[in-house]
Amino acid sequence: MIRVDSLTKKYGDFTAVDDVSFTCQSGRVTGFLGPNGAGKTTTMRVMVGLTPATTGEVSIGGHRYRDIPNPGRHVGVLLDASAQHAGRTGREVLALGAKLMGLPTSRVDEMLELVSLSDIESRRRLRNYSLGMRQRLGIAHALLGAPSVLILDEPANGLDPAGIRWMRGLLKGYADRGGTVLLSSHLLNEVEMVADEMILIGHGKIVASGTKQELLAGRGSGATHVTTLDTPGLITALEAAGHEVSTAGDGLRVEAEPVQVGQVAADTRIVLTDLRAAEGGLENLFLELTADTQREGLTREGVAS
């Protein structure tokens, strides 16, 4: 478990993290989301002792990071995939980590296989690695000590679609086995697919937290995409039930939850060929809550359009 309690970090007159508190539970993936510069990385650096807090505390498994003996065996960290000596090979990086943690050298080959870095790739200098290869190596290093907690900052950065899908499965499986995962990103759609709960941060403050359902509940963000064999009939039935309807591609967007749309269709015996939550509900909420931090100057009206 990770517990962040009233954490504040100031640099002179600038407050990077402002009285932040949250908890990451074992067996769950927690998404830490916010625009660039929102305070995500600073918070994670404080967690692992790289940046001192101005006030507040962070504990991992009930201990401060600096008080954990051989921390790599308990906490896996990836904050910057490029923060390794460019003249070393990938294998050397993992071998050094294994030696420092008191692990057998066989662990190096296990991790290289896990992240799909071939023997030839593992013997290349890091200066010749692509960003995606560095990310894979960074994930391997984070998992090297078989830790119970993972703290990852933008781990999908540089990965191709197959790599991103692989990473989602890896993290989900890790949490399913009881591990704690804190996953930072500004890519909401990617985190949404793997996170059990999400923490939204903007200007160094927590603006919302909870599961996707909890974040959307009561905010009017639920919407449904639906297609049918009888579009005019469904429009008439939905509008009669008080739902706002608009065309969207080959179907309809309905400002209601899928269960409500399905109930209307069932009551009127209209056959549906597709029924699912419309994209953008959580994204719109995220943009709305962090609107004043967006460089593009999105307004609440602009987000909703």
Side-chain angles (χ1 to χ4, degrees):
M1 175 188 291
I2 302 171
R3 186 182 300 278
V4 180
D5 186 17
S6 301
L7 181 66
T8 296
K9 176 59 184 177
K10 294 185 177 182
Y11 296 94
D13 295 332
F14 173 68
T15 302
V17 179
D18 190 357
D19 195 27
V20 164
S21 298
F22 62 87
T23 300
C24 302
Q25 300 288 345
S26 301
R28 298 176 72 82
V29 177
T30 301
F32 195 29
L33 296 155
N36 292 327
K40 303 185 302 297
T41 298
T42 299
T43 300
M44 298 174 97
R45 286 180 61 86
V46 173
M47 286 180 178
V48 298
L50 293 175
T51 298
T54 303
T55 59
E57 294 183 350
V58 177
S59 64
I60 302 174
H63 304 279
R64 292 176 298 179
Y65 183 84
R66 67 171 178 254
D67 295 332
I68 301 173
N70 199 353
R73 299 288 293 268
H74 305 279
V75 185
V77 180
L78 173 58
L79 299 186
D80 183 354
S82 298
Q84 296 284 358
H85 194 297
R88 293 196 178 112
T89 67
R91 180 174 289 276
E92 287 171 345
V93 168
L94 294 182
L96 284 170
K99 187 172 184 179
L100 286 171
M101 294 181 210
L103 298 169
T105 55
S106 59
R107 188 67 177 162
V108 173
D109 289 312
E110 291 173 16
M111 291 299 97
L112 288 170
E113 181 178 358
L114 177 68
V115 302
S116 300
L117 286 175
S118 69
D119 184 61
I120 293 175
E121 290 171 333
S122 75
R123 298 180 189 281
R124 291 182 191 168
R125 306 291 177 186
L126 261 66
R127 66 170 62 94
N128 298 318
Y129 271 28
S130 67
L131 178 56
M133 290 172 65
R134 292 185 186 190
Q135 292 285 33
R136 287 177 181 270
L137 181 66
I139 293 171
H141 197 279
L143 292 169
L144 189 62
S148 58
V149 175
L150 280 180
I151 298 174
L152 309 175
D153 191 11
E154 304 283 2
N157 189 24
L159 293 179
D160 57 23
I164 292 173
R165 185 174 184 179
W166 160 80
M167 186 197 67
R168 286 200 302 261
L170 178 74
L171 297 183
K172 197 66 177 174
Y174 178 90
D176 288 344
R177 293 189 296 273
T180 302
V181 182
L182 178 62
L183 173 64
S184 168
S185 182
H186 62 277
L187 301 175
L188 181 112
N189 291 337
E190 286 303 324
V191 175
E192 183 182 352
M193 296 181 70
V194 69
D196 298 295
E197 53 191 309
M198 288 169 270
I199 299 164
L200 277 58
I201 185 171
H203 277 322
K205 289 180 174 289
I206 302 298
V207 296
S209 63
T211 65
K212 177 180 177 180
Q213 292 73 23
E214 290 169 344
L215 289 171
L216 292 177
R219 293 182 178 269
S221 300
T224 299
H225 177 80
V226 60
T227 58
T228 176
L229 299 177
D230 182 7
T231 299
L234 183 59
I235 292 175
T236 299
L238 288 168
E239 290 180 341
H243 301 306
E244 182 180 341
V245 184
S246 59
T247 58
D250 60 349
L252 303 172
R253 179 184 174 92
V254 186
E255 302 306 317
E257 298 293 338
V259 65
Q260 296 172 292
V261 176
Q263 187 63 59
V264 170
D267 291 344
T268 54
R269 297 180 177 274
I270 293 176
V271 176
L272 303 182
T273 55
D274 189 13
L275 176 67
R276 53 189 161 86
E279 296 179 359
L282 189 59
E283 183 180 75
N284 286 344
L285 172 62
F286 173 72
L287 291 174
E288 178 184 338
L289 291 173
T290 61
D292 60 347
T293 72
Q294 303 295 332
R295 296 180 187 274
E296 286 71 21
L298 290 170
T299 64
R300 293 181 183 272
E301 292 76 12
V303 169
S305 63

